[in-house]
Amino acid sequence: MAPTRASAARATARARSAAREARRRWRAAAPQQRQTVRLAAVSGALGLVVALVAVTVAGPWDSGQRTAERVRAARLGHGSGTDHTPGRGGAYPMAPQVLAAAGPLPRQGTGEGGPPSGSGGRGGTRPERVPAPTPSALADTLEPLIEDGSLGAVRHASVVDAVTGRQLFARNAKAVSAPASTIKLATAVAALTARGDTYRIATRAVGKGDRVTLVGGGDPTLSRRDLAAMAERTARALDERGVHKVSLGYDTSRYSGTERHVIGPNENLARVTPLMVDEGRADHSHHGPAPRVADPALEAAETFAEELGEEGVTVRGTLEERTAAKGAEKLAVHRSATLGALVERMLTYSDNDLAEALARQTALAQGEPAGFKGAGRAVRHTLEKLGLPVKGARFADGSGLDRSDRASPALLTRLLALAADPDRPRLRPVLTGLPVAGFTGTLDNRYGGERGEPGAGLVRAKTGTLTGVNTLAGTVVDADGRMLAFAFMTTGAPGRDAAHKSLDRLASALANCGCRDSPSAG
């Protein structure tokens, strides 16, 4: 028996030595080599290949949601997320179902996208079937990339498992710094929590006698066509009252405080007023920097006056800013797209005007004055009630243009993980609105090149850029099919383009990495 035991001990020692060597080689392997091993070893890789092909074929998004994901979500039928209109099946898809590993989906229960009965865990996302990365292996992958000097002196990072919320990687994750436009994630979660995803912002025309007032509700997407439709209904209502000549005023009392952002007049943001047409853009563009009209509220009133004239209503005298008369009757109303759709648009195009409007909607819902300070208090209070880590955070505005804003990577990843929670379907637009690398929004011209970056079509993230500040926060499904939320925040970068490439490499590494010990390593 003794020789047999000795032989067994030697065999065990050799096996352990081989396992250690396998681990060492696995950690040292390039991401592409790891991917090759995984594709050969894991039977579920076929689903990943199908998903990648679907992204390539589908191409760009439609209405803020990638086409391939919409097709897959549509197979769920009820609550699929293919239609954001209230009353059609209700709610958004469960994010882990739409975004996690390819393969059979758990049956979706009744209700509004919550976990199926008896599923256990966080909505039946089968976390045990799709292993999470190990922190040590993830650190091996990310640490060399985050040391890149192009990122600047301040580098904060957080990566969490979106299924469980467990921290997988951290670099000063609780430290706060300027978030730039990634603060819009906080604005989005706060607005959706305070107002709900089906809420619509109303612009009204009211009248008392021959006095008509256009009342702004805070919808920056109001268009000339919308005002034309309102003018037609207003003229019809006035005709029923026998009124054909009116004095016209406009009411901006919905907001309080200054209309001017701390950055002053800027092509990135119009004066913040509850009444404007097409975000006060003077060049008929729909997103991005643009010249802005000097007085968006007055321009909206002038447009409405012109449209009333087209409908046969004479507007006498000059337009005046005034508060709508008490007891004025509603003549016409226009309601915006749902708040869920507005959040998607804000995140996809990093729309600063929408961000400030949504922050003020949070203030109005919380009973705070709808100005910069009141909105900041309302956003913070809403996030505190959700149990999010807001220590040290500062919400000086809703858009991130104010350099005094502060947030931590831990807060940003918690916001994203919360939006992925199956029990919070109304927060799903925070995920579906994220730009897709190489395809949509502020990431449409990144992750490019002749061969394309590994993260193209896979990384979904909110960008953030100010002079010397470069941030990226979003979600990715790794090579093993696990959904991760990440936030990389840097300050002091010597050049914007180089910093963006380094941030993109970090996110791509997550997409290309299962980041676990080799299965053969024991």
Side-chain angles (χ1 to χ4, degrees):
M1 294 292 293
T4 302
R5 290 176 180 173
S7 297
R10 286 194 296 272
T12 299
R14 286 196 296 271
R16 288 176 177 171
S17 177
R20 285 194 295 270
E21 177 63 17
R23 287 193 190 95
R24 186 191 66 78
R25 292 181 178 179
W26 181 256
R27 298 279 181 84
Q32 291 84 352
Q33 293 173 313
R34 296 187 191 182
Q35 180 75 333
T36 300
V37 173
R38 282 192 296 269
L39 289 174
V42 182
S43 61
L46 178 59
L48 176 62
V49 173
V50 171
L52 291 172
V53 171
V55 170
T56 303
V57 172
W61 279 7
D62 175 30
S63 299
Q65 187 175 20
R66 193 169 58 197
T67 306
E69 292 171 347
R70 292 184 63 194
V71 171
R72 187 167 179 230
R75 294 205 299 267
L76 293 173
H78 164 69
S80 68
T82 58
D83 191 338
H84 293 311
T85 302
R88 296 190 183 182
Y92 297 87
M94 294 169 60
Q97 290 181 335
V98 178
L99 303 176
L105 298 177
R107 291 181 60 84
Q108 189 174 19
T110 60
E112 297 187 345
S117 58
S119 64
R122 289 169 56 86
T125 55
R126 300 177 284 113
E128 299 305 320
R129 293 194 185 183
V130 184
T134 58
S136 60
L138 194 60
D140 286 346
T141 298
L142 297 182
E143 285 287 359
L145 297 176
I146 207 168
E147 292 297 334
D148 191 322
S150 65
L151 290 174
V154 177
R155 305 167 195 145
H156 301 159
S158 173
V159 179
V160 303
D161 181 355
V163 175
T164 65
R166 185 167 72 98
Q167 187 86 52
L168 300 175
F169 177 80
R171 166 73 74 90
N172 296 322
K174 295 182 180 180
V176 298
S177 59
S181 281
T182 55
I183 201 73
K184 291 183 174 76
L185 295 172
T187 302
V189 168
L192 288 168
T193 301
R195 284 297 201 197
D197 57 322
T198 61
Y199 183 84
R200 296 173 186 266
I201 303 171
T203 304
R204 293 181 171 86
V206 299
K208 189 172 184 179
D210 64 351
R211 288 167 58 89
V212 174
T213 306
L214 182 63
V215 183
D219 175 16
T221 67
L222 182 73
S223 69
R224 188 180 186 105
R225 179 180 296 180
D226 298 330
L227 283 179
M230 285 186 67
E232 181 183 4
R233 293 194 295 273
T234 299
R236 189 162 56 244
L238 290 171
D239 185 61
E240 292 174 357
R241 294 165 172 79
V243 177
H244 301 97
K245 295 181 180 180
V246 300
S247 67
L248 179 63
Y250 57 99
D251 186 343
T252 61
S253 62
R254 187 76 163 160
Y255 289 176
S256 62
T258 180
E259 294 181 349
R260 291 186 177 274
H261 191 281
V262 67
I263 63 172
N266 194 287
E267 290 191 343
N268 290 299
L269 181 68
R271 289 172 60 177
V272 185
T273 172
L275 180 61
M276 60 174 65
V277 176
D278 294 325
E279 301 183 336
R281 296 174 178 273
D283 63 354
H284 306 293
S285 61
H286 298 289
H287 56 82
R292 308 302 178 110
V293 299
D295 190 339
L298 177 59
E299 191 234 10
E302 290 173 342
T303 301
F304 190 57
E306 293 174 8
E307 296 298 335
L308 283 175
E310 292 292 325
E311 298 297 330
V313 177
T314 300
V315 177
R316 300 176 304 195
T318 59
L319 303 178
E320 61 175 352
E321 185 171 3
R322 67 191 182 206
T323 303
K326 291 184 179 180
E329 297 181 46
K330 183 180 73 174
L331 302 174
V333 62
H334 169 76
R335 300 188 185 277
S336 71
T338 64
L339 203 71
L342 296 181
V343 163
E344 283 190 329
R345 172 172 164 171
M346 174 189 70
L347 294 174
T348 299
Y349 295 111
S350 199
D351 192 308
N352 298 310
D353 301 279
L354 262 174
E356 298 301 343
L358 293 176
R360 280 155 181 74
Q361 288 299 319
T362 305
L364 291 168
Q366 295 287 344
E368 291 277 2
F372 286 102
K373 291 183 179 180
R377 286 194 299 269
V379 168
R380 183 184 186 89
H381 180 62
T382 302
L383 300 186
E384 282 179 336
K385 289 199 299 183
L386 291 171
L388 294 166
V390 295
K391 183 178 180 180
R394 185 170 189 267
F395 307 99
D397 64 5
S399 60
L401 290 172
D402 193 323
R403 298 182 73 88
S404 66
D405 285 326
R406 291 292 181 269
S408 67
L411 172 59
L412 297 181
T413 49
R414 285 284 300 278
L415 287 164
L416 292 161
L418 194 69
D421 187 341
D423 293 332
R424 299 183 185 273
R426 288 185 174 86
L427 296 183
R428 207 69 70 239
V430 176
L431 299 185
T432 56
L434 292 174
V436 178
F439 286 94
T440 62
T442 54
L443 286 182
D444 65 349
N445 61 351
R446 287 168 63 168
Y447 296 79
E450 292 183 2
R451 298 178 60 185
E453 294 289 338
L458 299 176
V459 173
R460 309 176 67 140
K462 181 70 200 76
T463 58
T465 305
L466 294 171
T467 302
V469 176
N470 297 277
T471 59
L472 191 68
T475 64
V476 67
V477 177
D478 73 7
D480 284 338
R482 193 74 170 195
M483 184 178 175
L484 310 176
F486 66 87
F488 303 119
M489 304 180 67
T490 71
T491 304
R496 184 192 68 177
D497 292 344
H500 285 180
K501 289 180 180 178
S502 293
L503 290 172
D504 294 346
R505 279 193 291 269
L506 281 161
S508 293
L510 287 175
N512 196 47
C513 176
C515 294
R516 295 181 294 115
D517 289 334
S518 169
S520 63

